[in-house]
Amino acid sequence: MLRATRIRRDGGLSVSGSGAGEANAGKRPNGQLGSWFVRSGWSKGELARQVNRRARQMGAHHISTDTSRVRRWLDGEQPREPIPRILSELFSERFGSVVAVEDLGLRTPHQAPSVAGVDLPWAGPQTVALLSEFSRSDLMLARRGFLGSSLALAAGPALIEPMQRWLVPVAAAPAAEPEPAAARRPSRLSGPELDLLESTTAMFRSWDAQCGGGLRRKAVVGQLHEVTDLLQEPQPAATSKRLFRCAAELAELAGWMSYDVGLQPTAQKYFVLALHAAKEAGDKPLGSYVLSSMSRQMIHLGRPDDALELIHLAQYGSRDCATARTQAMLYAMEARAYANMGQPSKCKRAVRMAEDTFLDAGVDGEPEPDWIRFFSEAELNGENSHSYRDLAYVAGRSPTYASLAEPVMEKAVQLFGEEDEHQRSYALNLIGLASVHLLKGEPEAATAPAERALRVARKVRSERVNTRLRKTVDTAARDFGDVPEVARLTELLIEQLPETVETV
């Protein structure tokens, strides 16, 4: 019996001809996907629009779905990649916890070990090979949406247990073993060239703070790939160590920028590879910084218990070598985790530790690496105020914790200011201040910082900023839609906030 097949624009497989009815005969409704869909409160049209928007963000411009296709998925049709991964990300963000592809009753594609999972070998050559392969794939394939769609987020023991191996010391080479020839020969990289590589990483980091992760992500990934090429060549030990440190910083930054534009699985993969590179560089403070970024992502995904585990790993691993500024940052992230776990006493203790430790930052003239310089007094106040704000949400929109957050958030906004280079942080704290006013039942006061955040959001390419601003304004419209200032803010948001962030 003849039948023809064709690939639909939504990535599914259509069957035509006299055998089509037979192909669909055994299909059953997808109860798992249906359950998540009903709980989300979305309509079929809204889900279709969100899928299309996320596909465009990933560069998968061939995806174009509609309500009838969503209905078919609910009826049991299995969509092709990258649809399952997009649905997983959308539902994860909606419910604040990881919703795996399997949880949705959808099939996952076979993945190579270098792409799937986070349990990777802790060895220099393998780390270089994986960094090279992943960055190359990102540069070549992410434009069409295939890389991000082939990844799965890890959480719980599947994430924490492999990361614990960061604490295992690297086995020392036998004393009698002669030094490799590569370590004795001069490097083809000069000292000034290595300095330039490191300063370029600092420049990329500054661009990210000013403009968001969507502006120069691909440039960072390209630089990372170049560094891994250098690591695959014979290098003296000292040069190799500096290159591994550079690779770790670039991989962390690539992960951070991916996180900022909503590519969560890609971000986690870069963070894991960055931690491996930091271990090869022997840089424990840098490794703790990478773990703090992973912790922040877990808080964003509604996994504060995982976030706390990662922060404790960072604190233990760098307890004897991290600067006071780095330790203060880790305490602040510990407070965020405790806040989201609904543990106010432990949260407040961590906030105090962050504040007390920060007082020692730079006192003794200890040199600070560039990656921690972002953690200023403004950033400290921003993190601590968000901890109190998160406590307010977890405690059922408690005005008491919101009142604790307000003066600290106002101080953060004042310290950042409109001229500060960290424009994304400025916008996030303005949004935070607006959310605090909403928690206190002050919608008129919430609109001013939200409007200021909207002006900044139009200048930075950060899906994280856009998403938080949309959610805050949606909350205001839902709870205080009859307030004229809120109605005007809602109109401004619809008119001015960009729909998507282009990742270049």
Side-chain angles (χ1 to χ4, degrees):
M1 190 172 290
L2 297 176
R3 56 179 180 259
T5 61
R6 64 183 177 85
I7 297 176
R8 301 187 306 265
R9 290 196 71 204
D10 74 331
L13 190 67
S14 291
V15 182
S16 59
S18 57
E22 297 175 11
N24 294 326
K27 191 169 57 178
R28 297 180 180 178
N30 187 336
Q32 291 172 272
L33 178 61
S35 175
W36 288 104
F37 174 71
V38 170
R39 290 165 56 197
S40 73
W42 289 327
S43 66
K44 295 182 180 69
E46 175 62 20
L47 181 56
R49 286 190 292 273
Q50 293 208 44
V51 167
N52 290 335
R53 186 174 70 182
R54 182 58 55 89
R56 289 195 298 271
Q57 291 171 8
M58 295 168 56
H61 298 288
H62 63 288
I63 298 298
S64 179
T65 193
D66 54 24
T67 55
S68 64
R69 188 58 57 194
V70 173
R71 186 180 301 110
R72 293 185 192 182
W73 298 339
L74 294 169
D75 288 342
E77 183 180 86
Q78 287 283 335
R80 291 166 62 95
E81 289 295 340
I83 298 296
R85 298 299 174 189
I86 291 177
L87 291 172
S88 172
E89 290 186 23
L90 290 175
F91 282 107
S92 294
E93 293 171 4
R94 182 68 169 179
F95 291 99
S97 61
V98 177
V99 180
V101 171
E102 295 86 349
D103 296 333
L104 299 173
L106 302 176
R107 290 192 296 265
T108 56
H110 174 74
Q111 300 169 4
S114 61
V115 173
V118 298
D119 194 0
L120 308 175
W122 294 85
Q126 288 90 336
T127 295
V128 173
L130 290 169
L131 276 168
S132 178
E133 179 182 351
F134 192 70
S135 57
R136 183 183 68 250
S137 297
D138 193 359
L139 290 168
M140 294 177 63
L141 302 180
R143 185 178 301 277
R144 293 182 289 168
F146 295 147
L147 176 63
S149 68
S150 65
L151 295 172
L153 278 164
L159 173 66
I160 302 302
E161 290 177 8
M163 297 305 98
Q164 288 173 340
R165 295 176 198 136
W166 175 64
L167 300 174
V168 178
V170 177
E177 184 176 313
E179 186 179 23
R184 297 193 302 267
R185 71 172 63 123
S187 172
R188 75 179 185 87
L189 283 172
S190 66
E193 287 173 326
L194 281 167
D195 293 341
L196 182 60
L197 278 177
E198 293 165 347
S199 64
T200 300
T201 303
M203 177 187 68
F204 282 138
R205 192 177 290 113
S206 176
W207 283 353
D208 170 64
Q210 290 176 343
C211 307
L215 185 61
R216 290 290 182 267
R217 195 186 78 88
K218 287 293 183 66
V220 172
V221 174
Q223 184 76 359
L224 172 62
H225 190 66
E226 291 293 328
V227 171
T228 60
D229 282 349
L230 293 171
L231 279 166
Q232 292 181 69
E233 300 174 1
Q235 301 287 354
T239 300
S240 179
K241 190 172 183 178
R242 287 181 68 178
L243 286 173
F244 266 116
R245 182 180 293 111
C246 188
E249 292 191 38
L250 286 167
E252 189 281 332
L253 184 55
W256 182 254
M257 296 171 109
S258 300
Y259 162 66
D260 193 45
V261 298
L263 301 175
Q264 302 300 339
T266 300
Q268 186 180 74
K269 186 70 173 187
Y270 275 122
F271 289 148
V272 171
L273 291 169
L275 186 62
H276 281 250
K279 185 177 179 68
E280 293 301 319
D283 196 328
K284 291 181 179 180
L286 177 56
S288 72
Y289 173 60
V290 174
L291 285 166
S292 75
S293 297
M294 297 177 71
S295 173
R296 191 183 298 275
Q297 183 187 33
M298 286 295 103
I299 290 173
H300 174 77
L301 294 171
R303 304 280 307 198
D305 48 344
D306 289 347
L308 186 63
E309 293 275 5
L310 292 167
I311 282 297
H312 285 168
L313 278 175
Q315 290 172 324
Y316 184 78
S318 63
R319 64 195 184 282
D320 57 347
C321 54
T323 65
R325 191 181 303 271
T326 301
Q327 292 177 31
M329 181 269 295
L330 294 176
Y331 279 125
M333 288 308 303
E334 184 182 25
R336 291 291 302 275
Y338 279 130
N340 283 269
M341 293 171 71
Q343 299 188 25
S345 60
K346 292 183 178 180
C347 171
K348 292 176 181 178
R349 175 186 176 278
V351 165
R352 289 194 299 271
M353 292 296 294
E355 292 172 343
D356 292 345
T357 307
F358 187 81
L359 294 175
D360 295 330
V363 171
D364 56 0
E366 186 178 14
E368 299 273 14
D370 182 78
W371 47 259
I372 194 56
R373 289 176 185 168
F374 83 97
F375 197 73
S376 60
E377 184 182 1
E379 197 72 39
L380 171 70
N381 281 274
E383 289 292 356
N384 289 343
S385 61
H386 276 89
S387 290
Y388 291 137
R389 192 278 313 271
D390 293 350
L391 269 177
Y393 278 118
V394 174
R397 302 174 67 86
S398 164
T400 301
Y401 292 128
S403 296
L404 284 177
E406 183 179 4
V408 190
M409 192 83 76
E410 287 180 339
K411 185 175 182 180
V413 168
Q414 181 182 9
L415 288 171
F416 276 118
E418 295 186 7
E419 302 303 321
D420 190 272
E421 65 174 349
H422 295 86
Q423 285 295 288
R424 181 179 53 211
S425 292
Y426 177 51
L428 290 170
N429 280 277
L430 284 168
I431 297 167
L433 183 58
S435 67
V436 166
H437 283 301
L438 292 176
L439 284 166
K440 295 179 65 183
E442 302 168 348
E444 296 89 353
T447 57
E451 287 185 21
R452 288 159 65 190
L454 178 57
R455 290 196 295 270
V456 181
R458 296 177 62 192
K459 297 186 293 183
V460 300
R461 296 190 184 185
S462 170
E463 186 63 17
R464 190 159 47 108
V465 169
N466 291 354
T467 299
R468 290 191 189 180
L469 184 54
R470 288 190 187 102
K471 288 182 177 179
T472 301
V473 176
D474 286 348
T475 299
R478 184 187 67 239
D479 297 342
F480 307 101
D482 56 342
V483 176
E485 291 89 344
V486 172
R488 184 171 65 87
L489 174 63
T490 304
E491 292 175 359
L492 282 174
L493 180 78
I494 295 172
E495 176 187 342
Q496 298 182 12
L497 189 66
E499 181 72 9
T500 61
V501 174
E502 182 183 0
T503 57
V504 295

